[in-house]
Amino acid sequence: MLKGQLPNTDKDLASCPRSPPTDDCPGPEKSPVVSLDIPAKISNEDPQAKTKLFTPKPPTKPRLERALSLDEKGWRRRRFRNSQEDLRSQDGASPSRGSLQDEVPAPPVHTCFPPCLSTSLQEIPTTHRPPRGSGGSPSSWGNCVSGMMGTSLDLLHRERPSAGSSPRLASGLPSRPLPAMDWNVASDSLRTANKVDADHADYKLRLQTKLFRAHSSLGPGRPPSPLACDSCSLRSAKSSFSLLAPIRTKDVRSRSYLEGSLLASGALMGADELARYFPDRNVALFVATWNMQGQKELPANLDELLLPAEADYAQDLYVVGVQEGCSDRREWEARLQETLGPHYVMLQSAAHGALHISVLIRRDLIWFCSEVEISTVTTRIVSQIKTKGALGISFTFFGTSLLFITSHFTSGDGKVNERLLDYSKTIQGLALPKNVPDTCPYRSDSADVTTRFDGVFWFGDFNFRLSGGRVSVEAILRQDGEASVPALLRLDQLSREMERGSVFRGFQEPDIHFLPSYKFDIGKDSYDTSSKQRTPSYTDRVVYRSRHKEDICPLKYSSCPGIKTSDHRPVYGLFRLRVRPGRDNIPLAAGKFDRELYLVGIKRRISKEIQRQQALKTQHSSAICTVS
């Protein structure tokens, strides 16, 4: 920023380097002379001479004094005040933004420097100007310029000059060449580089190209958040160094946040808030089911189940249901938390007899969940023995209501009717939702819980078998391994019943490309070699239902052959779920999660890392010599 008064006598002007006085500067008082590094000069003889483009060059050794923690690209995108704004600010105006093309030049004032460049982030002090009758034109500004003018779009500091002193420039200078400029005040070249001007013709086009999100866990990496782009002036409340959107004070004063519509711009879970986190409105979802056979021994590592190699990124929401789970449920939950790490929190977990379900979500998304509701159904005749039944968890994420059901149906090769009865009891017995509003009540059915939600995922040990007997199934498996899957599915009882419409009405299942998940010898890859010789079958399944067409897209459906602690192999599915904006009348969960479990998971990860480092030190050392 220029501070104080610049020399206003011919003697003082002569003392300024490379700035000899000219004859066109009238009056005893003259405006400040700023040196321009402009290789071309405008002729004094022809004031209407044709303008020529020039390229300003920064000093040879720029030195950035910005802190390294700042976003360098964001800093360069900051919009600096242009010359027209600087001139207007001298008259008392302080425009925050605007296009030079829309400005009408005021009556020209005869000064000794052309107002083409913004020289400071702050206001330039008022200068002495001659009377308006002295005339002048933009083309005659060059007559007052002699020598070279240093151009910098960063901070320009200058202390009050003493006798014989010269201007001092700040060292914060751009690290790349600036665009070519001409003398026309309304030129596009005067716009700050890498900045979207709200008044420019291509503003909307340039803004739309930034609001996208490559959110596929199986595809390319996700781009940075579009919130880093700021199209406002330096005086705006927004900051290019923050991803948090500003909250207007009038909204905080006036809004009650107790009611809202889908199109309300200020809704806590409305369209604006949804676009900040999911511009494409797609959420990555992981659903898994596993019959643990009541084994106390858990796998040494759950990475194959929760973090499959096919997925480049972790998912936004994890739902894991187990049947015949281990007796220590808390240990199972701690293993899930430990595997996913501190980026995830346990939103809710529930148990019903031997059934258990866990819902983990990214911690920065927990604020957009409603209260979680739970309901259970027992399908076994003796209700005290809760080994067969269903457990349901429901909640609303933004404006999309979700229902997750894990079930364990009646076992046995020929008990198809009993399994169909278990299905009917479940859809009629689950009393959900309770307090959370139904997002589409006119399409709901009181006799079928799956019709009351936008998205339903039903997974578990359904116990539907492959008909034809053990001999015929083994013959197909011996033929061509995984290529025999289509032939096996023609014997699948569940596929046959779904085609008839007697079970899972309105549901779909992703394409199966894996071998039967039941029944294996524990710790081995061979199917049942006991005296019972059970038929290999696809008992563990994941099916889904969407109220809106194509809101759920399956990406991966597979099993985990490496986890062999049970006679069942875990089965999981990766999905893309389209989320819709919500209203303010949804009761929020207020960020509730299992804090104690979260701390246990972090401590376990730290302990394992310490043990790993100690093992590496021990491995590289011996009693004879030490390898460094």
Side-chain angles (χ1 to χ4, degrees):
M1 174 178 177
L2 295 177
K3 295 182 179 180
Q5 298 295 332
L6 296 178
N8 56 3
T9 64
D10 293 340
K11 180 179 179 181
D12 292 334
L13 289 175
S15 64
C16 296
R18 296 154 62 180
S19 300
T22 61
D23 297 333
D24 295 328
C25 297
E29 295 180 352
K30 299 185 179 182
S31 299
V33 177
V34 183
S35 60
L36 270 175
D37 291 336
I38 306 174
K41 299 181 180 179
I42 296 182
S43 174
N44 296 334
E45 300 175 359
D46 186 7
Q48 303 296 331
K50 186 177 181 181
T51 61
K52 297 182 180 181
L53 293 176
F54 67 93
T55 302
K57 299 181 180 179
T60 56
K61 296 182 179 180
R63 180 166 60 89
L64 294 178
E65 295 180 350
R66 301 294 301 174
L68 294 178
S69 61
L70 296 179
D71 184 357
E72 183 180 356
K73 294 184 179 179
W75 173 255
R76 292 176 182 173
R77 286 196 297 264
R78 296 300 291 264
R79 182 180 183 274
F80 302 99
R81 297 180 57 177
N82 52 48
S83 59
Q84 188 70 13
E85 292 170 344
D86 289 337
L87 290 178
R88 292 181 59 184
S89 65
Q90 296 177 9
D91 296 332
S94 57
S96 59
R97 65 179 178 88
S99 173
L100 292 177
Q101 293 176 345
D102 299 332
E103 297 290 343
V104 178
V109 177
H110 191 71
T111 60
C112 292
F113 66 98
C116 313
L117 298 172
S118 175
T119 59
S120 173
L121 297 180
Q122 305 176 10
E123 295 182 6
I124 298 178
T126 304
T127 59
H128 296 282
R129 293 181 294 181
R132 296 183 179 271
S134 60
S137 64
S139 61
S140 64
W141 290 331
N143 299 334
C144 295
V145 178
S146 176
M148 312 295 286
M149 175 184 286
T151 58
S152 170
L153 295 181
D154 211 315
L155 299 175
L156 176 62
H157 300 281
R158 183 176 179 179
E159 302 298 336
R160 184 178 297 275
S162 59
S165 63
S166 59
R168 179 172 60 87
L169 296 178
S171 57
L173 299 173
S175 59
R176 56 182 176 182
L178 298 176
M181 293 180 166
D182 55 33
W183 289 104
N184 185 8
V185 177
S187 170
D188 286 342
S189 302
L190 298 180
R191 300 179 184 276
T192 306
N194 298 331
K195 194 61 206 168
V196 179
D197 192 340
D199 296 328
H200 199 265
D202 61 349
Y203 167 71
K204 293 184 178 180
L205 179 61
R206 294 186 61 182
L207 185 62
Q208 290 175 358
T209 58
K210 298 177 181 297
L211 296 178
F212 69 94
R213 182 179 188 229
H215 191 356
S216 174
S217 67
L218 303 177
R222 301 178 182 178
S225 172
L227 298 181
C229 301
D230 184 6
S231 59
C232 295
S233 66
L234 291 176
R235 299 180 182 273
S236 170
K238 292 185 179 180
S239 170
S240 7
F241 307 120
S242 174
L243 296 180
L244 296 177
I247 303 174
R248 296 180 298 183
T249 54
K250 67 177 183 179
D251 291 338
V252 179
R253 291 184 179 186
S254 60
R255 282 188 56 92
S256 63
Y257 294 101
L258 296 180
E259 60 183 16
S261 64
L262 287 174
L263 301 179
S265 59
L268 288 178
M269 295 192 294
D272 292 345
E273 194 73 13
L274 178 59
R276 291 188 182 103
Y277 287 85
F278 302 99
D280 57 357
R281 297 191 177 184
N282 286 328
V283 174
L285 175 63
F286 174 95
V287 178
T289 178
W290 186 24
N291 187 322
M292 303 177 67
Q293 202 189 12
Q295 297 292 332
K296 296 182 179 180
E297 177 186 0
L298 293 175
N301 195 320
L302 294 178
D303 288 350
E304 182 182 356
L305 173 61
L306 300 178
L307 305 170
E310 295 84 357
D312 297 332
Y313 298 94
Q315 311 303 296
D316 298 316
L317 183 64
Y318 282 81
V319 184
V320 182
V322 297
Q323 307 81 40
E324 298 183 20
C326 63
S327 56
D328 192 351
R329 300 188 184 114
R330 195 60 176 175
E331 175 63 21
W332 168 246
E333 294 174 359
R335 294 291 298 276
L336 295 175
Q337 178 71 72
E338 176 189 354
T339 303
L340 292 180
H343 289 292
Y344 294 84
V345 295
M346 180 72 73
L347 176 64
Q348 188 61 268
S349 63
H352 177 62
L355 298 174
H356 185 272
I357 190 170
S358 303
V359 180
L360 296 100
I361 190 172
R362 285 186 56 168
R363 63 184 185 184
D364 43 346
L365 300 178
I366 193 173
W367 303 102
F368 308 110
C369 298
S370 72
E371 297 177 353
V372 182
E373 299 176 329
I374 303 171
S375 182
T376 61
V377 171
T378 300
T379 58
R380 199 176 182 89
I381 297 177
V382 183
S383 59
Q384 289 79 9
I385 306 176
K386 300 176 182 178
T387 58
K388 300 294 188 293
L391 171 62
I393 282 185
S394 66
F395 61 94
T396 298
F397 184 70
F398 279 96
T400 299
S401 56
L402 301 173
L403 172 63
F404 299 93
I405 307 174
T406 183
S407 296
H408 195 182
F409 291 168
T410 303
S411 60
D413 290 348
K415 297 184 179 181
V416 176
N417 293 330
E418 287 80 350
R419 289 189 276 273
L420 298 180
L421 183 60
D422 293 342
Y423 164 78
S424 299
K425 289 181 179 180
T426 301
I427 62 175
Q428 297 175 12
L430 287 179
L432 293 172
K434 299 177 181 178
N435 299 322
V436 179
D438 192 339
T439 54
C440 194
Y442 67 92
R443 298 180 61 180
S444 301
D445 184 358
S446 59
D448 188 350
V449 66
T450 63
T451 63
R452 306 170 203 160
F453 296 87
D454 296 321
V456 181
F457 294 85
W458 199 330
F459 45 97
D461 183 1
F462 299 150
N463 263 320
F464 286 94
R465 309 298 176 89
L466 294 180
S467 58
R470 171 73 180 256
V471 176
S472 59
V473 171
E474 283 188 338
I476 297 175
L477 288 173
R478 285 194 298 266
Q479 289 178 0
D480 202 2
E482 294 185 3
S484 61
V485 171
L488 293 174
L489 292 177
R490 286 193 288 268
L491 305 176
D492 181 45
Q493 295 175 352
L494 177 58
S495 300
R496 185 185 311 120
E497 295 300 328
M498 288 182 66
E499 292 177 357
R500 294 176 180 175
S502 56
V503 67
F504 295 118
R505 290 182 291 271
F507 282 82
Q508 304 178 59
E509 183 179 17
D511 295 335
I512 297 178
H513 299 286
F514 54 91
L515 296 176
S517 59
Y518 171 88
K519 172 181 176 67
F520 289 89
D521 293 331
I522 296 179
K524 301 179 181 179
D525 291 326
S526 58
Y527 289 101
D528 187 18
T529 58
S530 65
S531 58
K532 294 185 178 181
Q533 293 286 303
R534 293 183 178 86
T535 304
S537 302
Y538 293 98
T539 58
D540 307 282
R541 313 287 275 269
V542 178
V543 295
Y544 63 92
R545 173 175 179 170
S546 177
R547 174 178 284 171
H548 304 280
K549 187 178 181 181
E550 298 180 355
D551 271 7
I552 300 177
C553 176
L555 300 180
K556 181 70 177 179
Y557 190 38
S558 183
S559 64
C560 301
I563 299 180
K564 306 176 183 180
T565 57
S566 171
D567 58 350
H568 290 254
R569 296 289 186 263
V571 173
Y572 68 89
L574 301 180
F575 300 89
R576 282 293 168 272
L577 173 66
R578 182 172 177 80
V579 180
R580 300 174 184 272
R583 298 180 175 90
D584 281 341
N585 61 346
I586 299 175
L588 297 177
K592 295 179 182 178
F593 68 97
D594 196 329
R595 178 180 178 272
E596 181 182 352
L597 183 68
Y598 181 78
L599 296 177
V600 169
I602 293 178
K603 292 177 181 178
R604 288 193 178 188
R605 291 181 71 97
I606 294 175
S607 300
K608 282 193 174 182
E609 179 62 21
I610 294 176
Q611 294 175 3
R612 187 186 68 84
Q613 293 179 0
Q614 291 177 350
L616 289 176
K617 292 180 180 179
T618 305
Q619 182 179 1
H620 293 304
S621 63
S622 66
I624 301 175
C625 63
T626 301
V627 179
S628 59

